[in-house]
Amino acid sequence: MRVAVLIVAAGRGTRAGGPLPKQWQHLGPKRVIDWTLAAFAQHPQVDQTLVVVHPDDVALLPAGTDHAIGGATRAASVRAGLMALRDQGVDRVLIHDAARPCVSAQIISDVISALDHVDGAAPGVAITDALWVLDDDQITGTADRSTTVRAQTPQGFALPAILAAHQAGDDSAADDVELAVAQGLSVRMVPGHADNLKITRPEDFARASDILEPQMDIRVGNGFDVHSFTDGDHVTLCGVQIPHHKALTGHSDADVAMHALTDAIYGALADGDIGQHFPPSDPQWKGADSAVFLIHAIGRARARGYALGNADVTLICEAPKIGPHASAMAARLADILQVDPGQISVKATTSERLGFTGREEGIASLASCTLIHKGA
Ligand code: MG
């Protein structure tokens, strides 16, 4: 059972805007037609591909692509393609719009399988909106949507049956199912999908891009920092000053938690660490508000298209008590990062009096964050 796909790419449609017909325009890293060709090339049940093109567009095809020259109407173009396939041992043909690049393997499989039982099969999608009948712009009634579906492609047929229908039919049919049904063929609907959209208007490119290239670029980073205690009367943690009988030593304000979070962001970006961006040897950072570092890190994330998903900061110390200040700390970090406080967690633990934090020699902090890419 040899299955061919006939890609209809001869249209000169200009509703989508742009200098070229929509099927030749770019959709992310490749052209609309390249996505469409790939969808069928990757399908194990599709044996060969033929593209019907306008004579001016032959040079736009990928090298070596089997093609036929289209006619003045869609029906004439399909007919030319069917004629080209006629003597190639093809049993079944799927006729597909080049401008439907998001077609799924499932839809292709379902159409091919249905042809075991009927002359034709094509995907349809239920209509969920009410349908109105118009007289000019006046709504005069509703149409019954329960017996109506939206037509999609690929529309599959036994090759001899659809070729005969095309030779007997006229050129006015909107698609091959219409022509086949008019010629008495039995055509069954299989489930289509809303994602199998036909690029028609300029905004359809963005929708198709979201379907083909879902933005799942999420990065995770972690940071860790330690500062030792010295004499003093307060510590600064997550930008909040807390009275304490000791202070933290450090070149800047020694905000150990903010340093850990800053490093988490740099880490998520694979962009070095706080010491590289703000060398301790540089006197300008002496006593600096560590918010400068955090703002720098999140700025570098945003410049690359990332937004903070969430951050989780843990302080490890016996004292001071963090709990009473945790929500103020989270609010301060959220303010610096310009995110919702619900995206920031600040919590604390002790080390059960073990080790340097247990001996109250200093405070340690670790932080994790996610960065989410917001798309091109
Ligand atoms: Mg530090």
Side-chain angles (χ1 to χ4, degrees), residues 141-154:
T142 57
D144 181 6
R145 68 184 176 199
S146 67
T147 58
T148 312
V149 294
R150 291 191 288 124
Q152 297 187 332
T153 71

Side-chain angles (χ1 to χ4, degrees), residues 320-331:
K321 287 287 171 232
I322 302 301
H325 307 284
S327 62
M329 291 177 177

Side-chain angles (χ1 to χ4, degrees), residues 54-376:
H54 188 275
D56 293 349
D57 295 342
V58 174
L60 298 174
L61 280 170
T65 306
D66 194 12
H67 67 275
I69 300 299
T73 63
R74 187 185 192 285
S77 292
V78 172
R79 193 160 58 243
L82 295 172
M83 295 293 282
L85 290 172
R86 183 175 48 173
D87 299 320
Q88 298 189 28
V90 171
D91 304 290
R92 294 172 178 177
V93 60
L94 309 184
I95 303 166
H96 186 71
D97 300 323
R100 290 189 195 268
C102 309
V103 62
S104 67
Q106 183 68 55
I107 290 175
I108 297 169
S109 298
D110 288 349
V111 170
I112 294 171
S113 297
L115 294 177
D116 289 345
H117 311 286
V118 285
D119 294 331
V125 177
I127 296 167
T128 51
D129 296 320
L131 293 175
W132 292 332
V133 176
L134 292 181
D135 179 4
D136 200 3
D137 63 354
Q138 289 298 303
I139 298 164
T140 58
T142 57
D144 181 6
R145 68 184 176 199
S146 67
T147 58
T148 312
V149 294
R150 291 191 288 124
Q152 297 187 332
T153 71
Q155 299 180 354
F157 303 92
L159 179 61
I162 192 65
L163 183 57
H166 263 276
Q167 287 170 331
D170 63 41
D171 280 6
S172 65
D175 65 15
D176 303 284
V177 167
E178 179 182 334
L179 190 146
V181 170
Q183 293 299 315
L185 295 190
S186 165
V187 183
R188 178 179 296 177
M189 191 203 83
V190 301
H193 197 286
D195 285 352
N196 184 23
L197 71 144
K198 184 176 185 177
I199 293 179
T200 307
R201 295 156 304 192
E203 59 268 30
D204 295 334
F205 284 92
R207 257 188 80 203
S209 181
D210 285 345
I211 294 163
L212 291 166
E213 297 189 283
Q215 298 297 332
M216 288 297 287
D217 184 357
I218 298 174
R219 286 170 165 253
V220 62
N222 67 67
F224 178 73
D225 198 21
V226 174
H227 283 256
S228 60
F229 280 129
T230 185
D231 295 336
D233 59 8
H234 73 276
V235 293
T236 302
L237 298 172
C238 300
V240 175
Q241 287 198 3
I242 302 171
H244 193 50
H245 61 279
K246 294 174 182 173
L248 290 171
T249 58
H251 194 65
S252 64
D253 64 3
D255 190 332
V256 62
M258 207 174 305
H259 295 179
L261 179 55
T262 301
D263 261 352
I265 295 171
Y266 290 134
L269 294 170
D271 188 21
D273 59 35
I274 196 167
Q276 278 174 248
H277 293 288
F278 300 94
S281 56
D282 188 335
Q284 68 171 309
W285 310 121
K286 188 167 174 54
D289 179 346
S290 294
V292 171
F293 312 145
L294 188 57
I295 289 166
H296 179 265
I298 196 66
R300 286 178 76 88
R302 292 196 173 117
R304 285 170 52 179
Y306 290 93
L308 186 77
N310 73 301
D312 183 18
V313 178
T314 300
L315 283 148
I316 306 165
C317 57
E318 301 292 334
K321 287 287 171 232
I322 302 301
H325 307 284
S327 62
M329 291 177 177
R332 177 66 186 134
L333 292 178
D335 188 45
I336 293 167
L337 294 164
Q338 297 180 287
V339 298
D340 191 278
Q343 292 169 261
I344 310 290
S345 158
V346 176
K347 60 194 195 301
T349 184
T350 72
S351 58
E352 302 287 347
R353 297 240 153 243
L354 297 171
F356 66 88
T357 61
R359 295 187 296 269
E360 299 193 42
E361 295 169 1
I363 297 179
S365 178
L366 52 90
S368 303
C369 72
T370 53
L371 299 178
I372 301 172
H373 201 276
K374 288 310 199 181

